[in-house]
Amino acid sequence: MQQMLSILPFWKCHTLQSMNNHLEAVLKEKRSLRQRLLKPMCQENLPIEAVYHRYMVHLLELAVTFIERLEDHLEIIRNVPHLDENLKKMSTALAEMDILVAETAELAENILKWREQQKEISSCIPRILAEENFLHKYDVTVPP
């Protein structure tokens, strides 16, 4: 355990020394690194007169927008061969929707008829009760 504790400061010192050497090398190369970073990647400059700078800015905005939308446009182009299949699926779905609409209309009609029947039954109940009282007066029994 004591050996590990004695190695730990040495290891820390070694790591710090390694980092220090790396940073010194970076500082020595600072000027050449800066010049390399300032150089364009293609090793060419395209001088543009100041009059045309605003047009270049607009052109770059258009290029960025085009690149952003490029994947969407490519996806649309990839889907063109599947257009007939998608139209058939849409036609099938539309036919199914027409069937469902017809069934729904039929159900609505049946519900309205049922409501009318319920109203008729509700209006007949007092008359039936009155007839029942009439039948009780004369001891007439109705079989269940």
Side-chain angles (χ1 to χ4, degrees), residues 78-92:
R78 283 187 206 116
N79 286 332
V80 168
H82 305 291
L83 193 59
D84 290 336
E85 182 182 328
N86 290 340
L87 285 174
K88 287 177 185 174
K89 287 179 183 177
M90 286 175 61
S91 295
T92 304

Side-chain angles (χ1 to χ4, degrees), residues 31 48 53 61 63 86 123-124:
R31 182 172 293 177
I48 298 173
H53 281 194
E61 288 174 355
N86 290 340
S123 66
C124 290

Side-chain angles (χ1 to χ4, degrees), residues 3 6 16-17 19 25 27-28 30 32 38 43 55 63 102 108-110 113 115 122 129 136 139 141 143:
Q3 281 182 334
S6 66
L16 286 173
Q17 191 173 14
M19 287 175 54
L27 287 174
K28 285 179 185 176
K30 180 178 160 186
S32 65
L38 289 175
Q43 302 295 323
Y55 300 114
E109 205 173 295
N110 288 342
K113 285 179 185 176
R115 280 186 182 167
S122 297
L129 291 176
H136 281 292
D139 287 333
T141 57

Side-chain angles (χ1 to χ4, degrees), residues 53-105:
H53 281 194
R54 66 180 175 161
Y55 300 114
M56 273 310 293
V57 169
H58 181 65
L59 183 63
L60 288 174
E61 288 174 355
L62 291 174
V64 168
T65 304
F66 175 78
I67 290 169
E68 286 174 347
R69 295 181 183 167
L70 182 61
E71 188 61 38
D72 293 334
H73 294 306
L74 291 175
E75 188 65 31
I76 290 169
I77 291 170
R78 283 187 206 116
N79 286 332
V80 168
H82 305 291
L83 193 59
D84 290 336
E85 182 182 328
N86 290 340
L87 285 174
K88 287 177 185 174
K89 287 179 183 177
M90 286 175 61
S91 295
T92 304
L94 186 61
E96 289 175 5
M97 281 180 58
D98 285 342
I99 292 169
L100 290 173
V101 166
E103 288 176 0
T104 304

